[in-house]
């Protein structure tokens, strides 16, 4: 029994190959696949097929079998929209004269939109037909794939189905935010606890540790999850433009203001406003942000009356705000407004085996994206575990993307990752092997700070610790940083 309606008339198409597309004929075209003529010699590669009448749709296909006449392929859809486009294409070419035979089993007759034999829905004129048909046949489709999956793949598919069930219940699992070390498990637990509570959250961590991902995870688990999530990077926008970007402006309020514009705070109304790099917000804007937090009102530049805005504030920084408060670089009242609940993300170098878990995750993701097969060599895995990752997860993503591109074989080496320098792994640790940071003496710590021009970020990287950890050690020894 078929699960999808086939076209009786062959369709012309193009096999998108380099350097020149190849003309092909698709027989028995359906949502499941088609039979290609002439035969296509592809091995295990994924094919890309285009129908001339649907130039914006590229069909990904996998070979099922091959004979002297042609090649049978199965379509693989990465998103719902592609499947719906193909269905509409098939629907527009179906013969209006079916008779009463079922197009799936060819045995039963159609009674009230269903086959009397296979019981499948056949009322294709119904607007929701394809959705209902897919829901009814999904167990059969999953069963087909399950028979060809290896044990490890089956486990991943099972986990994916569980993930879909969780999403159906309004719970969104962490995407690209994985880990199993104790500190990350604590972070996950805190996210789930604070997300439903409508309080400000301050997210701390080095650059590249995933602070925006945490903010998104909090938003997606909050009561505001169906409303806007708006982010603004306070360090990336010039100070002269930042106020206009945050609060908006009225037409004619300054040179170049040819029309009124809503600010990020208004755009986030009823949702979440994420203030990234809040530690770099200028002092004069800190006062205006504080007034906005206290009154729930924004006033556009050039406007006389304020507007009511309902947003939840999430903020993030890689700076030590408590120290910035003491130095007069950050308002104390604003700090306490933002730090109602604080989350600190560990740097990647302190996450142990998580390095390899993340690397494997990104390798699988990007390999699928680029449609190639790649795996890490044993030496590459060791290099990933040994490397300090000063740029954290962002650096790992960039190195793995590059490695997939430059690798000349399926196996990725340390050289492909850029983790070999003069025949040795790049290392930045300077403390003796086995020594814990808390055991570092006052003189040794002062010497390290001096060697790094009293730059806290650089010294923290040398020691393999986070900046807040280093600040605690500096305070413990009563050291004062030179400006």
């Amino acid at each position: 029994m078929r699960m999808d309606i086939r076209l009786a008339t062959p369709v012309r198409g193009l096999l998108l190959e380099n350097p020149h597309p190849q003309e092909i004929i698709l027989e028995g075209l359906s949502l499941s696949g088609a039979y290609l003529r002439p035969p296509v010699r592809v091995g295990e590669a994924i094919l890309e097929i285009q129908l001339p009448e649907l130039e914006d749709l590229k069909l990904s296909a996998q070979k099922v079998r091959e004979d002297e006449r042609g090649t049978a392929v199965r379509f693989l859809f990465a998103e719902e929209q592609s499947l719906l486009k193909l269905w509409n294409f098939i629907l527009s070419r179906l013969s209006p004269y079916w008779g009463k035979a079922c197009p799936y089993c060819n045995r039963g007759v159609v009674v009230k939109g269903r086959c009397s034999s296979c019981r499948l829905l056949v009322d294709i004129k119904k607007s929701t037909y394809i959705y209902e048909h897919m829901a009814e046949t999904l167990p059969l489709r999953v069963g087909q794939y399950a028979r060809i999956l290896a044990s490890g793949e089956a486990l991943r598919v099972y986990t994916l189905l569980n993930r879909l069930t969780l999403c159906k219940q309004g719970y969104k699992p962490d995407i690209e935010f994985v880990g199993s070390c104790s500190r990350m498990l604590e972070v996950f637990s805190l996210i789930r606890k604070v997300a439903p509570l409508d309080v400000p959250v301050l997210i701390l961590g080095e650059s590249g540790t995933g602070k925006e991902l945490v903010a998104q995870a909090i938003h997606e688990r909050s009561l505001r999850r169906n409303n806007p999530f708006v982010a603004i990077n306070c360090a990336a926008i010039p100070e002269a433009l930042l106020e206009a970007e945050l609060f908006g402006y009225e037409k004619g309020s300054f040179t170049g203001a040819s029309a009124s514009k809503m600010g990020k705070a208004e755009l986030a109304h009823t949702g979440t406003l994420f203030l990234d790099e809040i530690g770099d917000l200028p002092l004069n804007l800190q006062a205006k942000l504080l007034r906005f937090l206290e009154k729930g009102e924004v006033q556009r530049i050039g406007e006389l009356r304020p507007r009511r805005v309902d947003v939840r504030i999430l903020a993030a920084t890689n700076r030590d705000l408590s120290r910035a408060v003491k130095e007069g670089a950050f308002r104390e009242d604003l700090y306490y407004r933002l730090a109602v609940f604080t989350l600190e993300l560990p740097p990647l170098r302190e996450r142990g085996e998580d390095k390899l878990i993340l690397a494997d995750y990104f390798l699988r993701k990007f390999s699928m994206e680029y449609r190639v097969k790649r795996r890490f060599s044993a030496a590459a895995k060791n290099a990933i575990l040994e490397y300090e990752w000063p740029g954290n997860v962002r650096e790992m993503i960039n190195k793995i993307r590059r490695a997939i591109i430059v690798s000349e074989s399926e196996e990725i080496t340390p050289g492909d990752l850029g983790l070999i320098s003069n025949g040795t792994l790049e290392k930045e640790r300077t403390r003796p092997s086995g020594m814990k940071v808390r055991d570092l003496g006052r003189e040794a710590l002062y010497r390290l700070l001096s060697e790094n021009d009293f730059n806290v970020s650089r010294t923290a990287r040398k020691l393999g610790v986070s900046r807040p950890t280093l600040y605690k050690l500096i305070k413990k020894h009563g050291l004062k940083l030179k400006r």
Side-chain angles (χ1 to χ4, degrees), residues 41-48 61-63 371 373:
R41 313 297 178 186
V42 292
E44 299 300 322
I46 299 296
L47 305 173
E48 277 199 342
Q62 180 183 36
K63 186 182 77 173
R371 298 183 179 178
K373 288 185 178 180

Side-chain angles (χ1 to χ4, degrees), residues 333-350:
D333 44 7
L334 177 58
Y335 171 70
Y336 287 116
R337 271 280 181 180
L338 295 172
V340 175
F341 190 91
T342 303
L343 271 172
E344 184 175 347
L345 300 183
L348 188 53
R349 61 181 166 273
E350 295 180 9

Side-chain angles (χ1 to χ4, degrees), residues 183 187 201-207 209-211 214 278 315-322 335 339 341-347 466-468:
R183 290 185 65 183
V187 169
V201 179
L202 179 61
I203 307 164
L204 305 175
E206 294 179 10
S207 179
T209 50
K211 296 187 289 295
V214 171
I278 188 69
T317 182
N318 57 15
R319 297 183 62 187
D320 185 342
L321 286 190
S322 59
Y335 171 70
F341 190 91
T342 303
L343 271 172
E344 184 175 347
L345 300 183
S466 65
R467 294 170 75 254

